[in-house]
């Protein structure tokens, strides 16, 4: 049952990725902004948190930097972080749930 479910999920994701690339949905820009639809959605959801942000909090507390972790295949998130000034400082290869990936660490100096 678990294998069947995993196979179905994999197939649906493959179709979604194919058509997303085919119609270039993730490359579209909103109203001439520098953000793709996916990036704009991430910003929107981040903005729903009553104005509290990690960057604002850390600046208020006078931290020197923020380090965040992401995964190499989360490309829209990575692009968004880079637009806000985060830079890749290290990465490590791993296998999780049978999938090879790189865990990436990005840093923003404050």
């Amino acid at each position: 049952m678990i294998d069947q479910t995993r196979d179905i999920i994999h197939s649906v994701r493959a179709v979604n990725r194919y058509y997303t690339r085919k119609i270039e949905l993730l490359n579209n820009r909103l109203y001439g902004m520098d953000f793709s639809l996916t990036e704009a959605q991430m910003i929107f959801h981040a903005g729903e948190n009553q104005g509290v942000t990690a960057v604002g909090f850390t600046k208020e507390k006078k931290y020197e930097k923020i380090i965040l972790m992401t995964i190499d295949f989360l490309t829209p998130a990575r692009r968004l972080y880079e637009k806000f000034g985060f830079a890749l400082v290290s990465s490590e290869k791993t296998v999780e749930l049978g999938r090879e990936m790189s865990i990436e660490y990005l840093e923003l100096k404050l």
Side-chain angles (χ1 to χ4, degrees):
M1 182 71 160
I2 292 174
D3 288 339
Q4 281 181 316
T5 303
R6 186 175 47 229
D7 290 344
I8 290 168
I9 291 169
H10 178 73
S11 296
V12 169
R13 286 180 174 167
V15 168
N16 284 344
R17 286 185 191 113
Y18 173 79
Y19 283 105
T20 298
R21 281 189 211 107
K22 192 78 170 165
I23 62 174
E24 297 183 6
L25 182 61
L26 298 179
N27 294 328
N28 292 338
R29 301 292 177 204
L30 292 175
Y31 307 109
M33 294 189 316
D34 290 334
F35 302 108
S36 69
L37 295 173
T38 303
E39 292 166 337
Q41 183 180 19
M42 292 169 63
I43 292 168
F44 172 78
H45 289 298
E48 291 181 319
N49 65 7
Q50 310 296 320
V52 177
T53 66
V55 173
F57 175 82
T58 53
K59 283 183 177 179
E60 182 180 305
K61 297 296 181 184
K62 301 192 184 334
Y63 289 119
E64 294 178 11
K65 62 185 172 184
I66 299 173
I67 297 176
L68 63 80
M69 180 184 80
T70 189
I71 302 169
D72 60 345
F73 57 83
L74 298 177
T75 309
R78 169 82 180 279
R79 275 193 234 120
L80 183 62
Y81 300 143
E82 289 172 343
K83 283 183 182 180
F84 284 104
F86 284 86
L88 181 67
V89 291
S90 68
S91 66
E92 56 189 57
K93 294 196 181 290
T94 186
V95 176
E96 298 292 333
L97 301 173
R99 181 176 182 167
E100 289 184 28
M101 62 183 73
S102 291
I103 298 174
E104 300 178 331
Y105 298 90
L106 293 98
E107 178 180 281
L108 175 66
K109 293 186 180 179
L110 300 173

